[in-house]
Amino acid sequence: MIGKNLTFGKSEEKLLREKDRSMTRNKIIAGNWKMNMTPSEAVTLLETLKPLLHNDEVEVVFGVPAIDIIPVVEACKGTNIKIAAENMYFEEKGAYTGEISPGMLVDAGVRYVILGHSERRTYFHETDEDINKKVLKAFEHGLIPIMCCGESLKQRKQGITMDWIRQQVKVGLQNVTADQAKIAVIAYEPIWAIGTGIAATNVQAEEICKEIRECIAEMYDTNTAQKIHILYGGSVNADNAAGLFIMEDIDGCLAGGASLKQDFGKIVNYK
Ligand code: PEP
């Protein structure tokens, strides 16, 4: 059932008001460092990248390893850069050795949380149900989920891409209210494009992002579908970013490898 009552944090309400005022969706350009960068390397990278980011119209987000969050938040003070965690547990606290709670992330200054990345689904066996619990918990704490979805090459060849993605989106957003969905971020990341250097073409990426938006409209309404951000991820680089970003339903990207390089500056300054 969609629309179960969940409380809104003050920051969520503010974000929603801002989104309501703006007619168009701003771009979100997010990096995913994965399991790269020690804390000191992270700060050095940030200091290299910060002067290269010259586009105030986009929301720049760095998804960083948990141990890097505190120094990276510190290094980004005084900028508009937002920090994302790469994962989070769905319990508040307790005997869950090795896990990170939403409260810990908020206290450390985190704004977004990447959930359901295909690497977590594949290597750590995360299910759509697990991801849904994390999405709900993130909203409870005023964190914005960047919920990933995407098909394998086999699924694409079998012609079940959209069935698969619809299931990921529908289960992942179960019990998420329309107001929450409006501020959520979905990252469409075809598994065959992640880390391979073979990005989806802008037409391929747009086709799926548009269908995801249609799926959101069916689950909620067209207003919600127009507000939600849908990113593309999978071998985005300085050469293909602008072509992806001109597509109507692509609201930015989640970039892995390119976010560890000066290329990220070129992606942010795509126009
Ligand atoms: C990712 O990590 O989500 C990703 C898309 O990686 P890459 O850009 O390296 O393909």
Side-chain angles (χ1 to χ4, degrees):
M1 177 210 150
I2 293 163
K4 192 179 151 195
N5 282 337
L6 284 171
T7 49
F8 256 146
K10 279 210 164 25
S11 47
E12 257 179 331
E13 283 171 12
K14 185 167 168 270
L15 220 112
L16 201 58
R17 279 199 304 275
E18 281 165 10
K19 254 194 170 186
D20 268 335
R21 274 199 299 272
S22 67
M23 295 300 285
T24 52
R25 297 178 298 271
N26 63 328
K27 292 271 186 278
I28 297 176
I29 299 188
N32 174 18
W33 286 359
K34 313 195 187 202
M35 198 177 74
N36 294 295
M37 298 289 124
T38 64
S40 53
E41 286 169 345
V43 172
T44 305
L45 178 62
L46 244 302
E47 296 307 337
T48 311
L49 293 181
K50 272 192 303 187
L52 307 178
L53 312 174
H54 299 301
N55 188 348
D56 292 339
E57 286 172 26
V58 309
E59 171 108 319
V60 176
V61 181
F62 284 104
V64 306
I67 199 163
D68 296 344
I69 287 172
I70 289 173
V72 162
V73 167
E74 188 62 31
C76 291
K77 280 213 172 113
T79 74
N80 289 327
I81 297 169
K82 305 290 189 308
I83 303 307
E86 296 179 11
N87 185 29
M88 180 200 89
Y89 199 47
F90 51 73
E91 294 290 353
E92 294 288 336
K93 57 158 74 177
Y96 305 102
T97 303
E99 292 295 331
I100 308 267
S101 75
M104 291 171 186
L105 296 181
V106 172
D107 190 59
V110 167
R111 188 81 193 93
Y112 291 83
V113 56
I114 300 171
L115 295 174
H117 191 281
S118 64
E119 287 151 16
R120 295 216 55 86
R121 292 175 187 262
T122 305
Y123 304 134
F124 304 101
H125 314 293
E126 284 191 10
T127 65
D128 289 332
E129 286 75 14
D130 295 331
I131 293 154
N132 175 239
K133 286 185 198 164
K134 293 181 180 194
V135 167
L136 292 171
K137 198 45 100 173
F139 277 124
E140 256 185 66
H141 285 263
L143 290 162
I144 302 176
I146 301 177
M147 189 182 83
C148 302
C149 60
E151 81 289 5
S152 65
L153 192 55
K154 183 172 174 201
Q155 288 165 328
R156 179 161 276 260
K157 285 184 176 158
Q158 287 170 331
I160 58 166
T161 296
M162 219 35 232
D163 299 321
W164 178 254
I165 290 171
R166 274 176 173 270
Q167 169 160 324
Q168 290 182 317
V169 170
K170 285 189 171 175
V171 179
L173 294 182
Q174 195 93 41
N175 292 329
V176 168
T177 66
D179 279 346
Q180 290 172 329
K182 280 176 192 149
I183 58 171
V185 181
I186 293 178
Y188 165 55
E189 299 208 303
I191 296 169
W192 47 270
I194 297 178
T196 59
I198 305 165
T201 64
N202 56 358
V203 173
Q204 282 174 322
E206 168 64 15
E207 184 189 10
I208 305 299
C209 291
K210 188 180 171 65
E211 290 214 41
I212 293 172
R213 206 175 296 287
E214 281 168 12
C215 176
I216 298 295
E218 287 163 25
M219 291 171 70
Y220 298 97
D221 50 68
T222 46
N223 182 30
T224 305
Q226 283 310 312
K227 293 253 157 47
I228 198 166
H229 276 79
I230 304 176
L231 313 182
Y232 165 76
S235 297
V236 174
N237 59 40
D239 295 329
N240 60 23
L244 288 158
F245 298 162
I246 53 165
M247 306 309 276
E248 196 179 328
D249 291 289
I250 300 178
D251 303 321
C253 71
L254 182 58
S259 68
L260 294 161
K261 300 189 286 196
Q262 303 206 351
D263 253 29
F264 194 70
K266 294 188 188 145
I267 296 174
V268 169
N269 311 329
Y270 68 99
K271 63 170 186 184

